[in-house]
Amino acid sequence: MLSLARGKEGKFKLVSGYKPEGDQPAAIEAIARNLSEGVPNQVLLGVTGSGKTFTMANVIAQLNRPALVIAPNKTLAAQLYNEFKSLFPENAVRYFVSYYDYYQPEAYVPSTDTFIEKDASINDEIDKLRHSATKALLERNDVLIVASVSCIYGLGEPEVYFEQVVFLEEQQHIDRDRVLRKLVDIQYQRNDYDFHRGTFRVRGDTVEIFPAYEENRAVRIEIFGDEVEALYEIDPLRGKIVRKLQSVAIYPASHYVTTSDRLETAVVNIREELKERLEHFRKENRLLEAQRLEQRTLYDLELLAEMGFCPGIENYSRHLTGRSPGQAPPTLLEYFAKDYICFVDESHVTIPQLGGMYRGDRSRKETLVDFGFRLPSALDNRPLNFEEWEGLVKQLVYVSATPGDYELRKSGGLVVEQLIRPTGLIDPQIEVRKAGTQVDDLLEQVRLRVAANERILVTCLTKKMAEDLTDYYHDLGVRVRYLHSDIETIERVEIIRSLRKGDFDVLVGINLLREGLDLPEVSLVAILDADKEGFLRSARSLIQTIGRAARNLNGKVIMYADVITPSMRSAMGETDRRRAKQVAYNEEHGITPATIIKAIDASLVEMYSPEWAVVPEIEEPRKSEKDELIPAHELPDRISELRHEMMEAAEKLDYERAASLRDQIKRLERHMFGMDSARPAPSSSPPGAAHSRENDEVHGRLDRRKSKGVGEKDSAPPARGRAPGLKSAGASKPRPGTRQTKLKLVPDDRK
């Protein structure tokens, strides 16, 4: 069945106004030749800005095989997705990362007898992109998936996932009630009022389904008697017909669906395992653990028998998939055709991540099993271990400017170098300055670059320092924001885009500003406390950070340090070696370096669904002047209070007041997250200092973090030369303005 699903002979078609230049032609030829000859491992050593993504795209187009690109984090994965989407507009380029914006795994701490319930916030947009990725893999050959390490985590078995597809075609004989039962079996919910992704509604003999992998298209099935009379693709909002269909395949709304036969077998096996485990606990006189496990498992079994689903169903994945104890779980890798190519981007970071996922997950789950919170089979709901991952990937290309020891050893020294940039740009100059006055010295450099309409990246060692530095510069009139792991996935991508657009000038970060970010507007990279030896200031980390300034003709790196460490010396030596080769190449070919010119991509959501436009929205009237004056750190409490009032008003059927309170909550939330209009500078700022809504967002988040005590454990050693008494700018009164909102555009059916 799976081979039939991939029967569409799609070919990769590379669309670009550029052609391979510099080292790219030789690198493309060498990598493609090695892959064609079956070489299992090779390294592409490409400096920042040399066009490694373009090289990968050319290799994929030349070999015309499905491809998986693994990135070390969601921010870089989103950037790669945008780039490949623009290079292969007619092919299936998809995005597959963890759909959790927030994830607190289930855990138990024996020393304090503390059990932590699983808590998560699922990003609906990313969930849709994941479903779109698995659907494309089962239907097409011209598929390129950009993924994070989420691709090695357990997913539903591809054979079962495909077996559960509801396939309908015109004039097919079928019973309407059977179609509805099948939709419920594959986790679609019936909702005749709120029609959204993952639901269906019924109107007589007409069934409308909103597939889990679609953004703005639904399917209408018209049944007459026991025959499918017509199939249409419709606009889910207006109900208008977009086009007529001959056939349609509805894929499951969950990757963890299973057949009724498998579910019945799984329930029997779970009961048997429970019986054995209870006997084990009772034999050891551990009655508390036995009672705990029995109560929880029987409740889950009851839900599985009645509903076909239960919270934490992934913990029973071994029984649901029918796999043996200890056997590797099904993952995204099993959805690929056997001849796919795997590129590991920024391999020096990604490879250690792939190796570390299994051990951390195993340690946590063993504690849960030992104390009766889960059955031993829960240990098989896990990411792949490193050996299993290696066994599933037949051909690998490690892509990095600083490949690690593992990649070099695994490839047997087969390294394809790409040191020449097509634009002739050379690696940036490096200057070492004393760290005693690093904050104030950097401020002068920032103002010089801002005057030239250029951007600045600043890397420091802790979240606390990133926030305090952002706070201090903001008070001095600098348009600055910070970026670290507490910021949600989609928001990180938007911050990078805002920097490129010039909404602010300085971006402060820790580790997320190190690998792969493509920012031609950045001309200065400042590395604070560069002499603090460690992971963040190792030779590889410094070379990667230096590369962020390599896409601009005026690129420069300033390292603030009191001594030159071995890592600094190694990084500067490698940079000088590459500069020498680049300068020699430019002189030989008469190339004049030029800053990379690159269009600013649409956001991740807009890239996936391009039918949108930006229109001005009239500013909403302010309901309460008092709410405008609330300090940022008090906003969460005020929002909770208003939400409670809204629920009380709804219970009293006072819907007008409830709606008014709802709008007030939305305004305060926009203000809290920095999504409202720009505000003037606080009175402490110098006259004429420009402040943007991004700065207010930073300070809103800073105040909330400080009010909750978040990040105290990350406290940094005092920054050398940092001004004392850094304070938050707080919330300032917004000035009148207009906001912009995105409006979906739909086809005009009158045509």
Side-chain angles (χ1 to χ4, degrees):
M1 293 290 285
L2 288 173
S3 59
L4 291 175
R6 293 195 180 101
K8 296 182 180 179
E9 288 297 331
K11 290 190 176 182
F12 282 101
K13 182 179 179 182
L14 182 62
V15 178
S16 174
Y18 301 98
K19 63 180 182 179
E21 296 180 5
D23 281 349
Q24 288 177 335
I28 293 166
E29 181 184 355
I31 294 172
R33 183 178 64 252
N34 293 336
L35 289 170
S36 299
E37 293 174 356
V39 173
N41 298 279
Q42 58 184 311
V43 173
L44 171 59
L45 192 159
V47 297
T48 300
S50 63
K52 296 189 291 293
T53 303
F54 191 55
T55 297
M56 287 189 279
N58 275 275
V59 170
I60 293 168
Q62 187 170 323
L63 297 180
N64 197 44
R65 288 158 56 182
L68 170 65
V69 180
I70 305 179
N73 59 61
K74 294 179 179 180
T75 304
L76 184 52
Q79 177 179 299
L80 287 169
Y81 168 72
N82 283 341
E83 291 179 5
F84 282 121
K85 188 80 174 175
S86 63
L87 292 170
F88 295 112
E90 299 177 16
N91 303 112
V93 180
R94 299 291 184 263
Y95 184 66
F96 191 95
V97 299
S98 169
Y99 53 31
Y100 294 115
D101 277 335
Y102 164 76
Y103 182 66
Q104 169 59 60
E106 188 178 53
Y108 178 66
V109 184
S111 59
T112 58
D113 190 27
T114 304
F115 176 71
I116 303 170
E117 288 277 4
K118 176 182 174 180
D119 186 20
S121 172
I122 292 179
N123 187 307
D124 190 67
E125 188 68 29
I126 295 178
D127 183 45
K128 177 192 67 185
L129 295 172
R130 285 166 62 97
H131 280 285
S132 179
T134 51
K135 174 179 179 288
L137 284 170
L138 294 177
E139 287 186 343
R140 307 175 63 161
N141 281 326
D142 56 331
V143 182
L144 191 162
I145 305 293
V146 180
S148 65
V149 292
S150 178
C151 66
I152 68 168
Y153 276 77
L155 202 63
E157 202 161 13
E159 289 80 7
V160 178
Y161 181 78
F162 186 72
E163 284 175 14
Q164 294 293 86
V165 172
V166 177
F167 185 79
L168 298 169
E169 55 186 350
E170 208 171 34
Q171 298 182 350
Q172 177 182 352
H173 288 275
I174 195 166
D175 179 56
R176 189 203 70 158
D177 291 342
R178 183 183 169 194
V179 173
L180 302 185
R181 283 194 298 271
K182 183 67 173 175
L183 289 172
V184 172
D185 287 343
I186 61 175
Q187 303 298 324
Y188 281 85
Q189 297 179 356
R190 178 169 178 173
N191 194 325
D192 292 340
Y193 304 100
D194 181 14
F195 193 45
H196 58 273
R197 200 176 62 84
T199 64
F200 68 95
R201 63 188 178 194
V202 184
R203 295 170 176 171
D205 285 339
T206 299
V207 181
E208 293 180 346
I209 308 165
F210 204 143
Y213 42 84
E214 291 290 350
E215 165 71 17
N216 52 12
R217 290 291 180 266
V219 175
R220 177 180 294 162
I221 307 165
E222 294 182 355
I223 303 173
F224 183 76
D226 60 351
E227 182 180 286
V228 177
E229 187 176 39
L231 295 168
Y232 300 102
E233 190 177 81
I234 64 170
D235 182 309
L237 177 63
R238 302 182 304 161
K240 299 293 184 182
I241 294 173
V242 176
R243 63 188 176 110
K244 197 174 187 299
L245 303 172
Q246 295 299 316
S247 62
V248 66
I250 307 296
Y251 285 78
S254 169
H255 287 107
Y256 297 99
V257 294
T258 188
T259 62
S260 57
D261 294 341
R262 281 178 179 248
L263 185 59
E264 290 175 5
T265 304
V267 169
V268 172
N269 292 338
I270 293 170
R271 288 188 184 278
E272 185 64 30
E273 185 186 11
L274 174 63
K275 180 181 176 182
E276 294 175 2
R277 191 63 176 167
L278 292 178
E279 289 177 357
H280 168 76
F281 280 136
R282 287 165 182 160
K283 185 177 179 180
E284 295 186 353
N285 199 31
R286 298 174 65 184
L287 302 182
L288 174 62
E289 286 82 358
Q291 188 270 341
R292 180 187 287 155
L293 181 64
E294 183 177 28
Q295 182 181 31
R296 180 171 215 175
T297 309
L298 289 178
Y299 176 70
D300 287 346
L301 286 171
E302 185 176 350
L303 285 176
L304 283 172
E306 296 298 325
M307 307 293 295
F309 191 82
C310 72
I313 190 173
E314 63 274 7
N315 289 291
Y316 304 108
S317 58
R318 191 187 84 195
H319 296 291
L320 294 169
T321 58
R323 301 206 169 193
S324 305
Q327 187 178 356
T331 62
L332 179 73
L333 304 181
E334 295 188 20
Y335 284 73
F336 277 90
K338 292 182 179 179
D339 63 340
Y340 79 99
I341 310 166
C342 181
F343 294 89
V344 183
D345 197 42
E346 306 297 349
S347 60
H348 62 285
V349 176
T350 311
I351 291 296
Q353 284 185 357
L354 292 168
M357 295 295 106
Y358 171 80
R359 290 188 289 272
D361 182 83
R362 181 83 180 186
S363 174
R364 176 178 60 84
K365 291 234 177 86
E366 281 179 343
T367 304
L368 291 170
V369 170
D370 290 343
F371 287 88
F373 290 95
R374 286 293 175 191
L375 291 171
S377 57
L379 294 172
D380 290 318
N381 166 44
R382 59 176 176 82
L384 299 174
N385 61 42
F386 196 69
E387 291 72 22
E388 290 167 342
W389 174 76
E390 285 183 309
L392 286 172
V393 182
K394 303 304 180 185
Q395 287 192 297
L396 275 163
V397 180
Y398 305 100
V399 182
S400 175
T402 55
D405 297 335
Y406 169 84
E407 300 95 285
L408 296 173
R409 183 180 69 255
K410 197 74 176 177
S411 64
L414 182 57
V415 178
V416 179
E417 281 198 344
Q418 189 170 298
L419 303 181
I420 308 301
R421 298 182 176 90
T423 55
L425 283 173
I426 59 178
D427 278 17
Q429 291 183 335
I430 301 174
E431 182 179 346
V432 179
R433 297 191 178 192
K434 290 293 183 182
T437 57
Q438 58 184 3
V439 173
D440 293 330
D441 182 84
L442 176 58
L443 181 61
E444 295 179 11
Q445 297 297 318
V446 164
R447 286 175 171 159
L448 290 174
R449 300 287 168 164
V450 170
N453 193 30
E454 296 171 347
R455 316 284 183 266
I456 304 95
L457 296 183
V458 182
T459 67
C460 47
L461 292 174
T462 66
K463 295 179 183 178
K464 185 73 165 56
M465 185 175 179
E467 293 167 4
D468 287 347
L469 186 64
T470 302
D471 206 4
Y472 178 57
Y473 280 170
H474 176 271
D475 288 346
L476 295 176
V478 177
R479 301 191 305 165
V480 57
R481 293 185 68 178
Y482 68 80
L483 182 74
H484 57 55
S485 58
D486 287 349
I487 297 174
E488 296 177 356
T489 310
I490 302 295
E491 190 180 354
R492 292 181 201 173
V493 183
E494 292 303 314
I495 288 172
I496 298 297
R497 291 182 67 247
S498 297
L499 176 69
R500 292 200 61 201
K501 289 190 299 181
D503 293 341
F504 62 98
D505 302 309
V506 183
L507 183 58
V508 182
I510 304 166
N511 199 31
L512 293 176
L513 301 183
R514 202 178 72 181
E515 278 91 17
L517 294 180
D518 189 356
L519 306 170
E521 295 79 10
V522 170
S523 66
L524 174 64
V525 171
I527 304 174
L528 303 184
D529 300 309
D531 54 355
K532 301 295 185 185
E533 279 279 20
F535 172 73
L536 293 176
R537 296 296 181 262
S538 66
R540 285 196 177 95
S541 295
L542 291 173
I543 291 172
Q544 289 287 342
T545 307
I546 290 167
R548 297 315 105 216
R551 288 175 164 85
N552 192 290
L553 182 61
N554 301 320
K556 182 179 179 180
V557 175
I558 300 177
M559 293 186 183
Y560 289 96
D562 291 325
V563 296
I564 296 179
T565 64
S567 294
M568 291 173 61
R569 188 173 291 107
S570 175
M572 291 188 288
E574 176 63 13
T575 302
D576 290 341
R577 181 185 77 86
R578 295 176 181 181
R579 277 176 60 92
K581 284 193 174 184
Q582 292 157 358
V583 170
Y585 182 88
N586 288 349
E587 291 176 353
E588 181 182 348
H589 293 83
I591 296 175
T592 301
T595 298
I596 292 175
I597 305 298
K598 182 180 178 183
I600 299 176
D601 296 320
S603 72
L604 180 61
V605 176
E606 292 160 0
M607 281 294 298
Y608 185 76
S609 178
E611 295 181 346
W612 62 277
V614 177
V615 296
E617 179 182 339
I618 298 174
E619 184 177 8
E620 299 172 6
R622 302 289 179 182
K623 292 293 182 183
S624 172
E625 186 73 18
K626 179 180 69 173
D627 287 337
E628 297 180 8
L629 304 177
I630 298 175
H633 66 275
E634 295 180 10
L635 280 173
D637 292 337
R638 176 59 176 160
I639 290 171
S640 298
E641 179 185 334
L642 290 174
R643 187 171 284 114
H644 180 69
E645 292 180 20
M646 178 183 71
M647 299 304 295
E648 286 185 347
E651 288 179 2
K652 296 176 183 178
L653 306 184
D654 187 358
Y655 296 122
E656 290 184 1
R657 173 168 168 71
S660 174
L661 289 168
R662 178 201 62 197
D663 295 340
Q664 195 173 347
I665 290 169
K666 287 183 177 179
R667 284 194 298 274
L668 289 177
E669 286 178 337
R670 284 198 296 268
H671 174 49
M672 186 169 70
F673 290 108
M675 298 170 64
D676 47 3
S677 53
R679 294 170 175 74
S683 58
S684 60
S685 298
H691 291 262
S692 67
R693 70 174 175 83
E694 281 78 13
N695 297 329
D696 292 321
E697 176 181 347
V698 169
H699 289 285
R701 188 180 296 107
L702 280 172
D703 288 340
R704 292 197 308 281
R705 286 175 54 83
K706 290 175 182 176
S707 68
K708 297 178 182 178
V710 176
E712 296 301 325
K713 64 181 180 180
D714 295 326
S715 57
R720 300 162 175 160
R722 185 167 61 196
L726 302 187
K727 298 180 181 178
S728 171
S732 54
K733 183 177 177 181
R735 67 187 179 197
T738 59
R739 291 180 287 107
Q740 290 186 325
T741 186
K742 292 167 189 168
L743 176 67
K744 296 288 179 182
L745 299 182
V746 290
D748 189 347
D749 290 302
R750 292 174 296 180
K751 296 180 181 177

